[in-house]
Amino acid sequence: MSQVAEDIMEISMGPQHPSTHGVFRMDVRLEGERVLRLKPVFGYLHRNHEKIAENASYLAAIPYTDRLDYLCSMTNNWGYALAVEKLAGLAVPERAEYIRVIVAELTRLQNHAGMVGFLLQDMGASGTPLMYAFTQREKVLDLFEELSGARMMCNYMRFGGVRVDCSPEWLRQTAALVAAFGGFLDEFEQLLTGNEILMARTQGVGVLPQELAINAGVTGPGLRASGVNYDLRKVDRYGIYERFQFRVPLGEHGDVFDRYMMRVLEMRESVKILEQALRDIPSGPVMDPKAKVRGLRPKVGEAYARIESPKGELGFYLISDGTPNPYRYRVRPPSLINLTVLEDMCLGQNIADVVVILGSIDIVMGEVDR
Amino acid sequence: MTLEEIKNRLQSGVPGCQVELVVNGSPSGQNSLLIDRDHGFAAATLLCDQIQLDFCSNVTAVDWPDREKTDKIKTKQTVDGVEKEIERTIKTRIPGYLEVVYHLFSMSKHLGPVVIRMRTGNRSDDVTVPSLTPIWRSAEFQEREAFDLYGVVFEGHPDLRRILMWEGFTDYPMRKDYVPPPDDELEGLREQ
């Protein structure tokens, strides 16, 4: 802490601050409690993920993608698998497409539930909302463990399909979880949405204008909270998302409360998608028999693929030079790019609100630093 | 709007701008436009304002080191009145460069991806390209990352500092010829 002028303080929040969601630092300049300037500092978790993947084969990069956003390994796998499928022109069997949608929407449920829990934790509601969220998250992780063998580092998808088929019993258990999830959301919302303290702490705080959100490349629920109708599941219709009926919730004010509501409403839409996918899932193979998983050598060229991960647009950019390793492997991390507007949202706010605004962006440092 | 149409718009809208269509051989079919860096900023402004590519999704750099191309050329020569075929190998050195790639989309028109690329002069002392952060804020951290890991200097960037590596680090770890320094800390431990 250093005294710059008479009433202006410079404070370094982090990297071990409990509210920074990992090792993340913010250099904040304050006048009293008001934020005058805020510069995020990254890199504490940097391991040069991209270089590691460029030195590995196409298959060997999949377990590393688990560790990007370590809460959502399934969607990370999908983004990467989609990029390789585009690069090499591989097809995915029907059943695998359905399983992908099911596990991706389950990931969205557990990510959003956890994010709301952590947001409330940042506001000082220590324990209760987070534990409510984590009871549901545990159930999803148990399903992932049964399917892939790991709770968080699933390493489940392959280009050309998924690694193993799911059993009828697993589908029954998933259907039971989905059927009960609406009840949990009702309970969760009864506890939170109308809560006076939550509204006082979030409404009108950290407003993100629509033009800035688009220009700064904010994606995911943070963009839709500012009223921009842009959901890649509707825009790109990757996978088989065009077959499902669901709506894209939109916010009006772009404040923290809207970003909170986006998560709750998206969970309700994910439940709808899951119900339809579980109803329609066909039988059949889960891997393209022609897909050469080991020793894949795509033709010289490049591909960019993106998916709607729970945090925003997760993109993978690959360049092949005809060898078994990608020549260039690039991750477009939604967490990092959504942080571009952190300073704009925090200027003029109180220091206590910075913690809430950061929580509402929903970042994971494994993906920011890579 | 096809890439060919965008190319024509750029050539007519930005006088002197050299645009080249780079064909992509993979099944993805995502071709790109190579724009010369002197007119890069004006071209990007046109793409943002007139073609409404309002969303710059991905910014990254690619390292292309110096390459050597060997060609075998057969020439016919007459030696002592007898015609002979002589094979010669010619080695040509293709100088390397750094390339920046932007993936652009339109949120209002649901267009994209439109891929644009710019190249630096070489990999050592002529590594500037114009920064597109004044047009798309989303490039701010990503251009810093390309500067940090590849050493591309973005002219006009408001805050060009290292982002992932620490201050005082001198090399560019994503380049193809990067050699990591020996881990002195571990060596020291082993000797003890």
Side-chain angles (χ1 to χ4, degrees), chain B residues 12-28:
Chain B
S12 58
V14 183
C17 181
Q18 286 167 8
V19 191
E20 192 188 316
L21 190 78
V22 181
V23 178
N24 178 2
S26 98
S28 74

Side-chain angles (χ1 to χ4, degrees), chain A residues 259-306:
Chain A
R259 290 198 277 280
Y260 154 78
M261 273 318 284
M262 284 309 103
R263 266 70 182 211
V264 175
L265 294 173
E266 280 191 13
M267 280 194 273
R268 292 198 185 275
E269 298 303 316
S270 286
V271 168
K272 283 188 204 163
I273 298 174
L274 278 165
E275 281 168 351
Q276 296 167 51
L278 288 164
R279 186 192 63 206
D280 298 339
I281 182 167
S283 55
V286 293
M287 271 301 285
D288 180 8
K290 278 183 284 178
K292 198 179 162 205
V293 175
R294 278 173 202 281
L296 178 78
R297 285 163 178 263
K299 272 196 280 181
V300 178
E302 62 174 55
Y304 180 72
R306 53 183 196 156

